[in-house]
Amino acid sequence: MIETASIPVGAIRRGPRPDGEGSVQVQLDPKLKIGTAKVFAIYGKGGIGKSTTSSNLSVAFSKLGKRVLQIGCDPKHDSTFTLTKKLMPTVIDVLESVDFHAEELRAEDFVFPGYNGVMCVEAGGPPAGTGCGGYVVGQTVKLLKEHHLLDDTDVVIFDVLGDVVCGGFAAPLQHADRALIVTANDFDSIFAMNRIVQAIGAKAKNYEVRLGGVIANRSAATDQIDKFNERIGLKTMAHFPDLDVIRRSRLKKSTLFEMDPSPELEAVQKEYLRLAAALWAGSDPLSAVPMKDRDIFDLLGFD
């Protein structure tokens, strides 16, 4: 078990912060930069399909010839299992195995090859109530830098845990160029999206991260998403319907690019490739203004 003492006292700053407004947050080393890679952080309500989206987007980038690294930031450490075909040890697991002497680790202890060459890392997290997830993300990036694993990487994708919490949620925003929000066409998903917009806006005051757009997922229609986007200044970059082949791909521990061909699957693959190409080409940052909770309640729904 990871003890609180394993987290450096100096890593946590208490009191008001320009980007936290009184929260307790992990202060990452400002010199710890990922490098020249394009960095995307994938956010959304818990269970909305962030890991499915992240893994298939990683493969799409790799199909475009990019060198891709996916970092799972959830203690469940299931972000990359469709790429690697099994649950991989987390950075916290391997650090614990060497009594947190990071110098004893080899790259192959925590970075694993996935489908079509995607490099896979599961940051993991401390046991509930014993530490900060932001520290885990920071240690992961530090290890990747020390082992020069980011030097030749074109794209880094952070698959971020669903809850809007302190360090584990916020730390990837200190590295990302663009934050993408996965949502379904329902009230709960859009309500969570609004909170994520607030968090990204707070981080954007002091870091380079900006909103990139919305990925509509598991939805036949997008009318409620469209209504919300128009009100606050967001736009939908991709739309993935609620197809059984997507559900089956998770059960088969496979990405969508490995499933048996069908017209509906080909359409989804093309949408992922189109999204990857658009993200690589670059997009203008969005300046969305989040809504008050009550206003969302009044906005969404049918007349």
Side-chain angles (χ1 to χ4, degrees):
M1 181 174 290
I2 303 166
E3 299 178 356
T4 307
S6 68
I7 298 177
V9 174
I12 295 180
R13 173 182 289 176
R14 298 180 183 274
R17 284 175 54 96
D19 59 344
E21 298 185 0
S23 63
V24 179
Q25 298 194 19
V26 166
Q27 180 186 6
L28 299 184
D29 183 349
K31 299 186 296 295
L32 192 59
K33 304 292 185 182
I34 281 186
T36 59
K38 294 190 177 185
V39 185
F40 304 97
I42 310 296
Y43 285 89
K45 184 176 77 73
I48 199 61
K50 294 182 298 297
S51 294
T52 299
T53 302
S54 298
S55 297
N56 287 294
L57 183 57
S58 289
V59 174
F61 274 119
S62 74
K63 294 283 187 180
L64 297 179
K66 310 306 178 186
R67 295 161 295 187
V68 186
L69 170 68
Q70 181 170 319
I71 302 175
C73 303
D74 195 310
K76 297 198 311 294
H77 64 102
D78 63 345
S79 172
T80 61
F81 83 86
T82 58
L83 292 162
T84 62
K85 314 311 175 197
K86 59 183 178 180
L87 290 177
M88 308 310 298
T90 71
V91 169
I92 286 297
D93 289 336
V94 297
L95 281 171
E96 189 176 21
S97 72
V98 294
D99 198 26
F100 292 89
H101 293 291
E103 68 277 4
E104 298 182 19
L105 295 180
R106 302 165 301 170
E108 55 265 34
D109 293 330
F110 60 94
V111 181
F112 305 97
Y115 174 70
N116 208 46
V118 175
M119 295 185 293
C120 302
V121 178
E122 293 285 353
T130 64
C132 181
Y135 167 77
V136 178
V137 173
Q139 284 295 103
T140 299
V141 174
K142 183 178 179 181
L143 282 171
L144 291 168
K145 289 287 286 186
E146 289 174 348
H147 288 269
H148 304 286
L149 294 168
L150 296 170
D151 294 352
D152 297 322
T153 302
D154 298 314
V155 175
V156 176
I157 293 179
F158 284 99
D159 175 13
V160 190
L161 74 168
D163 298 320
V164 181
V165 295
C166 176
F169 174 92
L173 294 174
Q174 299 177 213
H175 297 290
D177 303 304
R178 291 287 184 270
L180 308 173
I181 306 175
V182 181
T183 186
N185 196 48
D186 60 58
F187 178 84
D188 290 342
S189 302
I190 295 171
F191 187 89
M193 175 162 61
N194 190 66
R195 295 195 68 205
I196 293 165
V197 170
Q198 291 175 325
I200 294 167
K203 280 294 179 185
K205 295 175 183 177
N206 288 318
Y207 299 97
E208 295 181 1
V209 65
R210 296 293 184 270
L211 274 165
V214 175
I215 299 172
N217 194 45
R218 296 181 181 172
S219 302
T222 62
D223 56 312
Q224 302 299 308
I225 299 171
D226 297 340
K227 190 185 297 186
F228 177 78
N229 285 353
E230 183 178 2
R231 173 66 70 88
I232 77 163
L234 284 177
K235 68 175 183 179
T236 298
M237 298 193 70
H239 176 205
F240 300 105
D242 188 11
L243 299 176
D244 189 59
V245 67
I246 299 176
R247 180 190 65 84
R248 288 188 285 110
S249 72
R250 297 285 288 179
L251 295 175
K252 289 178 67 69
K253 303 178 179 63
S254 296
T255 69
L256 289 167
F257 291 86
E258 301 166 85
M259 299 291 286
D260 294 335
S262 68
E264 64 177 14
L265 178 60
E266 183 180 354
V268 173
Q269 292 170 345
K270 286 182 176 179
E271 182 75 341
Y272 270 110
L273 290 166
R274 186 195 63 77
L275 175 60
L279 290 171
W280 181 258
S283 60
D284 293 332
L286 302 176
S287 299
V289 179
M291 299 176 66
K292 299 292 186 182
D293 293 348
R294 179 68 198 186
D295 293 338
I296 302 175
F297 186 85
D298 292 338
L299 173 72
L300 300 179
F302 300 105
D303 296 331

mmCIF file of all heavy atoms in Angstrom, residues 130-161:
data_model
loop_
_atom_site.group_PDB
_atom_site.id
_atom_site.type_symbol
_atom_site.label_atom_id
_atom_site.label_comp_id
_atom_site.label_asym_id
_atom_site.label_seq_id
_atom_site.Cartn_x
_atom_site.Cartn_y
_atom_site.Cartn_z
ATOM 1 N N THR A 130 -5.628 7.958 0.121
ATOM 2 C CA THR A 130 -4.252 7.919 0.621
ATOM 3 C C THR A 130 -3.281 8.795 -0.143
ATOM 4 O O THR A 130 -2.106 8.835 0.196
ATOM 5 C CB THR A 130 -3.707 6.476 0.592
ATOM 6 O OG1 THR A 130 -3.647 6.043 -0.776
ATOM 7 C CG2 THR A 130 -4.593 5.537 1.388
ATOM 8 N N GLY A 131 -3.709 9.449 -1.197
ATOM 9 C CA GLY A 131 -2.750 10.255 -1.950
ATOM 10 C C GLY A 131 -3.427 10.996 -3.072
ATOM 11 O O GLY A 131 -4.645 10.955 -3.222
ATOM 12 N N CYS A 132 -2.627 11.654 -3.891
ATOM 13 C CA CYS A 132 -3.153 12.515 -4.942
ATOM 14 C C CYS A 132 -2.859 11.936 -6.319
ATOM 15 O O CYS A 132 -1.717 11.587 -6.629
ATOM 16 C CB CYS A 132 -2.532 13.907 -4.821
ATOM 17 S SG CYS A 132 -3.134 15.044 -6.070
ATOM 18 N N GLY A 133 -3.908 11.868 -7.162
ATOM 19 C CA GLY A 133 -3.728 11.368 -8.514
ATOM 20 C C GLY A 133 -2.850 12.256 -9.361
ATOM 21 O O GLY A 133 -2.224 11.808 -10.316
ATOM 22 N N GLY A 134 -2.779 13.544 -9.027
ATOM 23 C CA GLY A 134 -1.920 14.442 -9.786
ATOM 24 C C GLY A 134 -0.457 14.095 -9.635
ATOM 25 O O GLY A 134 0.329 14.223 -10.582
ATOM 26 N N TYR A 135 -0.073 13.638 -8.452
ATOM 27 C CA TYR A 135 1.299 13.188 -8.235
ATOM 28 C C TYR A 135 1.622 12.028 -9.162
ATOM 29 O O TYR A 135 2.721 11.953 -9.728
ATOM 30 C CB TYR A 135 1.475 12.772 -6.774
ATOM 31 C CG TYR A 135 2.740 11.997 -6.504
ATOM 32 C CD1 TYR A 135 3.973 12.637 -6.415
ATOM 33 C CD2 TYR A 135 2.709 10.611 -6.343
ATOM 34 C CE1 TYR A 135 5.136 11.924 -6.176
ATOM 35 C CE2 TYR A 135 3.862 9.891 -6.105
ATOM 36 C CZ TYR A 135 5.078 10.541 -6.023
ATOM 37 O OH TYR A 135 6.220 9.831 -5.790
ATOM 38 N N VAL A 136 0.661 11.105 -9.336
ATOM 39 C CA VAL A 136 0.877 9.934 -10.181
ATOM 40 C C VAL A 136 1.126 10.354 -11.624
ATOM 41 O O VAL A 136 2.041 9.857 -12.284
ATOM 42 C CB VAL A 136 -0.334 8.986 -10.086
ATOM 43 C CG1 VAL A 136 -0.142 7.790 -11.014
ATOM 44 C CG2 VAL A 136 -0.533 8.520 -8.649
ATOM 45 N N VAL A 137 0.320 11.276 -12.135
ATOM 46 C CA VAL A 137 0.500 11.758 -13.507
ATOM 47 C C VAL A 137 1.865 12.429 -13.644
ATOM 48 O O VAL A 137 2.592 12.211 -14.624
ATOM 49 C CB VAL A 137 -0.632 12.728 -13.893
ATOM 50 C CG1 VAL A 137 -0.362 13.362 -15.254
ATOM 51 C CG2 VAL A 137 -1.975 12.001 -13.909
ATOM 52 N N GLY A 138 2.218 13.255 -12.666
ATOM 53 C CA GLY A 138 3.510 13.927 -12.712
ATOM 54 C C GLY A 138 4.670 12.954 -12.727
ATOM 55 O O GLY A 138 5.635 13.119 -13.488
ATOM 56 N N GLN A 139 4.604 11.915 -11.888
ATOM 57 C CA GLN A 139 5.662 10.905 -11.856
ATOM 58 C C GLN A 139 5.753 10.149 -13.174
ATOM 59 O O GLN A 139 6.840 9.794 -13.631
ATOM 60 C CB GLN A 139 5.418 9.927 -10.708
ATOM 61 C CG GLN A 139 5.769 10.485 -9.341
ATOM 62 C CD GLN A 139 7.262 10.769 -9.214
ATOM 63 O OE1 GLN A 139 7.692 11.929 -9.298
ATOM 64 N NE2 GLN A 139 8.051 9.739 -9.027
ATOM 65 N N THR A 140 4.610 9.896 -13.784
ATOM 66 C CA THR A 140 4.595 9.187 -15.068
ATOM 67 C C THR A 140 5.315 9.987 -16.137
ATOM 68 O O THR A 140 6.172 9.457 -16.859
ATOM 69 C CB THR A 140 3.145 8.905 -15.495
ATOM 70 O OG1 THR A 140 2.518 8.070 -14.512
ATOM 71 C CG2 THR A 140 3.098 8.227 -16.847
ATOM 72 N N VAL A 141 4.981 11.262 -16.264
ATOM 73 C CA VAL A 141 5.644 12.107 -17.257
ATOM 74 C C VAL A 141 7.132 12.213 -16.950
ATOM 75 O O VAL A 141 7.972 12.168 -17.865
ATOM 76 C CB VAL A 141 4.986 13.496 -17.305
ATOM 77 C CG1 VAL A 141 5.756 14.438 -18.234
ATOM 78 C CG2 VAL A 141 3.539 13.384 -17.766
ATOM 79 N N LYS A 142 7.482 12.319 -15.674
ATOM 80 C CA LYS A 142 8.896 12.415 -15.296
ATOM 81 C C LYS A 142 9.659 11.162 -15.722
ATOM 82 O O LYS A 142 10.771 11.252 -16.283
ATOM 83 C CB LYS A 142 9.004 12.608 -13.788
ATOM 84 C CG LYS A 142 10.431 12.786 -13.288
ATOM 85 C CD LYS A 142 10.452 13.021 -11.781
ATOM 86 C CE LYS A 142 11.885 13.169 -11.275
ATOM 87 N NZ LYS A 142 11.922 13.382 -9.800
ATOM 88 N N LEU A 143 9.074 9.987 -15.494
ATOM 89 C CA LEU A 143 9.729 8.749 -15.899
ATOM 90 C C LEU A 143 9.882 8.670 -17.413
ATOM 91 O O LEU A 143 10.928 8.247 -17.924
ATOM 92 C CB LEU A 143 8.937 7.545 -15.398
ATOM 93 C CG LEU A 143 9.096 7.173 -13.922
ATOM 94 C CD1 LEU A 143 8.084 6.096 -13.541
ATOM 95 C CD2 LEU A 143 10.515 6.676 -13.647
ATOM 96 N N LEU A 144 8.847 9.057 -18.126
ATOM 97 C CA LEU A 144 8.917 9.022 -19.590
ATOM 98 C C LEU A 144 10.023 9.939 -20.108
ATOM 99 O O LEU A 144 10.738 9.602 -21.054
ATOM 100 C CB LEU A 144 7.566 9.427 -20.181
ATOM 101 C CG LEU A 144 6.419 8.438 -19.965
ATOM 102 C CD1 LEU A 144 5.089 9.083 -20.325
ATOM 103 C CD2 LEU A 144 6.633 7.165 -20.780
ATOM 104 N N LYS A 145 10.158 11.100 -19.476
ATOM 105 C CA LYS A 145 11.223 12.028 -19.869
ATOM 106 C C LYS A 145 12.593 11.452 -19.556
ATOM 107 O O LYS A 145 13.515 11.512 -20.376
ATOM 108 C CB LYS A 145 11.043 13.358 -19.146
ATOM 109 C CG LYS A 145 9.867 14.191 -19.623
ATOM 110 C CD LYS A 145 10.128 14.821 -20.983
ATOM 111 C CE LYS A 145 11.113 15.979 -20.887
ATOM 112 N NZ LYS A 145 11.260 16.676 -22.193
ATOM 113 N N GLU A 146 12.747 10.889 -18.368
ATOM 114 C CA GLU A 146 14.049 10.359 -17.956
ATOM 115 C C GLU A 146 14.506 9.224 -18.851
ATOM 116 O O GLU A 146 15.710 9.030 -19.058
ATOM 117 C CB GLU A 146 13.975 9.899 -16.504
ATOM 118 C CG GLU A 146 13.872 11.048 -15.503
ATOM 119 C CD GLU A 146 13.662 10.576 -14.077
ATOM 120 O OE1 GLU A 146 13.372 9.365 -13.885
ATOM 121 O OE2 GLU A 146 13.774 11.406 -13.151
ATOM 122 N N HIS A 147 13.567 8.455 -19.369
ATOM 123 C CA HIS A 147 13.909 7.336 -20.250
ATOM 124 C C HIS A 147 13.865 7.730 -21.729
ATOM 125 O O HIS A 147 13.936 6.858 -22.600
ATOM 126 C CB HIS A 147 12.974 6.160 -19.984
ATOM 127 C CG HIS A 147 13.224 5.472 -18.677
ATOM 128 N ND1 HIS A 147 14.075 4.396 -18.542
ATOM 129 C CD2 HIS A 147 12.763 5.735 -17.423
ATOM 130 C CE1 HIS A 147 14.107 4.004 -17.281
ATOM 131 N NE2 HIS A 147 13.318 4.797 -16.574
ATOM 132 N N HIS A 148 13.735 9.025 -22.000
ATOM 133 C CA HIS A 148 13.766 9.566 -23.368
ATOM 134 C C HIS A 148 12.676 8.961 -24.258
ATOM 135 O O HIS A 148 12.856 8.834 -25.474
ATOM 136 C CB HIS A 148 15.143 9.333 -24.004
ATOM 137 C CG HIS A 148 16.268 9.894 -23.194
ATOM 138 N ND1 HIS A 148 16.526 11.251 -23.111
ATOM 139 C CD2 HIS A 148 17.191 9.283 -22.394
ATOM 140 C CE1 HIS A 148 17.564 11.452 -22.306
ATOM 141 N NE2 HIS A 148 17.976 10.297 -21.852
ATOM 142 N N LEU A 149 11.560 8.577 -23.651
ATOM 143 C CA LEU A 149 10.489 7.949 -24.410
ATOM 144 C C LEU A 149 9.581 8.952 -25.109
ATOM 145 O O LEU A 149 8.720 8.576 -25.888
ATOM 146 C CB LEU A 149 9.650 7.062 -23.473
ATOM 147 C CG LEU A 149 10.409 5.853 -22.922
ATOM 148 C CD1 LEU A 149 9.629 5.205 -21.799
ATOM 149 C CD2 LEU A 149 10.680 4.841 -24.030
ATOM 150 N N LEU A 150 9.782 10.228 -24.813
ATOM 151 C CA LEU A 150 8.981 11.262 -25.459
ATOM 152 C C LEU A 150 9.732 11.958 -26.588
ATOM 153 O O LEU A 150 9.149 12.762 -27.312
ATOM 154 C CB LEU A 150 8.534 12.303 -24.427
ATOM 155 C CG LEU A 150 7.609 11.775 -23.326
ATOM 156 C CD1 LEU A 150 7.431 12.826 -22.237
ATOM 157 C CD2 LEU A 150 6.267 11.381 -23.895
ATOM 158 N N ASP A 151 11.013 11.624 -26.729
ATOM 159 C CA ASP A 151 11.848 12.337 -27.705
ATOM 160 C C ASP A 151 11.345 12.170 -29.132
ATOM 161 O O ASP A 151 11.384 13.117 -29.922
ATOM 162 C CB ASP A 151 13.298 11.857 -27.610
ATOM 163 C CG ASP A 151 13.948 12.217 -26.280
ATOM 164 O OD1 ASP A 151 13.321 12.969 -25.502
ATOM 165 O OD2 ASP A 151 15.059 11.735 -26.011
ATOM 166 N N ASP A 152 10.917 10.962 -29.484
ATOM 167 C CA ASP A 152 10.507 10.678 -30.856
ATOM 168 C C ASP A 152 9.003 10.459 -30.984
ATOM 169 O O ASP A 152 8.533 9.874 -31.962
ATOM 170 C CB ASP A 152 11.246 9.441 -31.379
ATOM 171 C CG ASP A 152 12.751 9.664 -31.442
ATOM 172 O OD1 ASP A 152 13.147 10.786 -31.803
ATOM 173 O OD2 ASP A 152 13.509 8.730 -31.117
ATOM 174 N N THR A 153 8.246 10.921 -29.995
ATOM 175 C CA THR A 153 6.798 10.722 -30.008
ATOM 176 C C THR A 153 6.113 11.886 -30.731
ATOM 177 O O THR A 153 6.453 13.044 -30.504
ATOM 178 C CB THR A 153 6.258 10.613 -28.572
ATOM 179 O OG1 THR A 153 6.915 9.520 -27.919
ATOM 180 C CG2 THR A 153 4.761 10.382 -28.560
ATOM 181 N N ASP A 154 5.166 11.558 -31.598
ATOM 182 C CA ASP A 154 4.434 12.590 -32.335
ATOM 183 C C ASP A 154 3.169 13.034 -31.605
ATOM 184 O O ASP A 154 2.818 14.214 -31.629
ATOM 185 C CB ASP A 154 4.036 12.071 -33.722
ATOM 186 C CG ASP A 154 5.235 11.715 -34.582
ATOM 187 O OD1 ASP A 154 6.185 12.530 -34.622
ATOM 188 O OD2 ASP A 154 5.235 10.638 -35.200
ATOM 189 N N VAL A 155 2.481 12.070 -30.990
ATOM 190 C CA VAL A 155 1.185 12.339 -30.360
ATOM 191 C C VAL A 155 1.142 11.674 -28.992
ATOM 192 O O VAL A 155 1.499 10.495 -28.851
ATOM 193 C CB VAL A 155 0.019 11.803 -31.222
ATOM 194 C CG1 VAL A 155 -1.322 11.986 -30.492
ATOM 195 C CG2 VAL A 155 -0.020 12.489 -32.578
ATOM 196 N N VAL A 156 0.705 12.422 -27.984
ATOM 197 C CA VAL A 156 0.436 11.872 -26.654
ATOM 198 C C VAL A 156 -1.037 12.083 -26.357
ATOM 199 O O VAL A 156 -1.570 13.185 -26.521
ATOM 200 C CB VAL A 156 1.292 12.553 -25.568
ATOM 201 C CG1 VAL A 156 0.906 12.031 -24.179
ATOM 202 C CG2 VAL A 156 2.774 12.328 -25.828
ATOM 203 N N ILE A 157 -1.709 11.007 -25.940
ATOM 204 C CA ILE A 157 -3.115 11.083 -25.561
ATOM 205 C C ILE A 157 -3.257 10.708 -24.092
ATOM 206 O O ILE A 157 -2.894 9.600 -23.688
ATOM 207 C CB ILE A 157 -3.985 10.161 -26.433
ATOM 208 C CG1 ILE A 157 -4.000 10.672 -27.878
ATOM 209 C CG2 ILE A 157 -5.412 10.065 -25.885
ATOM 210 C CD1 ILE A 157 -4.804 9.817 -28.829
ATOM 211 N N PHE A 158 -3.750 11.642 -23.282
ATOM 212 C CA PHE A 158 -4.096 11.370 -21.892
ATOM 213 C C PHE A 158 -5.570 10.969 -21.838
ATOM 214 O O PHE A 158 -6.446 11.735 -22.251
ATOM 215 C CB PHE A 158 -3.904 12.614 -21.019
ATOM 216 C CG PHE A 158 -2.484 12.949 -20.677
ATOM 217 C CD1 PHE A 158 -1.794 13.926 -21.379
ATOM 218 C CD2 PHE A 158 -1.837 12.309 -19.625
ATOM 219 C CE1 PHE A 158 -0.492 14.252 -21.055
ATOM 220 C CE2 PHE A 158 -0.538 12.627 -19.296
ATOM 221 C CZ PHE A 158 0.148 13.606 -20.001
ATOM 222 N N ASP A 159 -5.843 9.781 -21.323
ATOM 223 C CA ASP A 159 -7.215 9.325 -21.093
ATOM 224 C C ASP A 159 -7.495 9.552 -19.608
ATOM 225 O O ASP A 159 -6.989 8.845 -18.748
ATOM 226 C CB ASP A 159 -7.324 7.845 -21.460
ATOM 227 C CG ASP A 159 -8.682 7.251 -21.146
ATOM 228 O OD1 ASP A 159 -9.630 8.010 -20.872
ATOM 229 O OD2 ASP A 159 -8.788 6.000 -21.172
ATOM 230 N N VAL A 160 -8.321 10.567 -19.304
ATOM 231 C CA VAL A 160 -8.424 11.094 -17.942
ATOM 232 C C VAL A 160 -9.656 10.541 -17.236
ATOM 233 O O VAL A 160 -10.715 10.368 -17.852
ATOM 234 C CB VAL A 160 -8.468 12.634 -17.962
ATOM 235 C CG1 VAL A 160 -8.324 13.187 -16.546
ATOM 236 C CG2 VAL A 160 -7.349 13.187 -18.850
ATOM 237 N N LEU A 161 -9.505 10.269 -15.937
ATOM 238 C CA LEU A 161 -10.625 9.753 -15.156
ATOM 239 C C LEU A 161 -11.811 10.689 -15.202
ATOM 240 O O LEU A 161 -11.683 11.894 -15.398
ATOM 241 C CB LEU A 161 -10.194 9.511 -13.710
ATOM 242 C CG LEU A 161 -9.992 10.699 -12.771
ATOM 243 C CD1 LEU A 161 -9.849 10.197 -11.330
ATOM 244 C CD2 LEU A 161 -8.769 11.527 -13.140
#
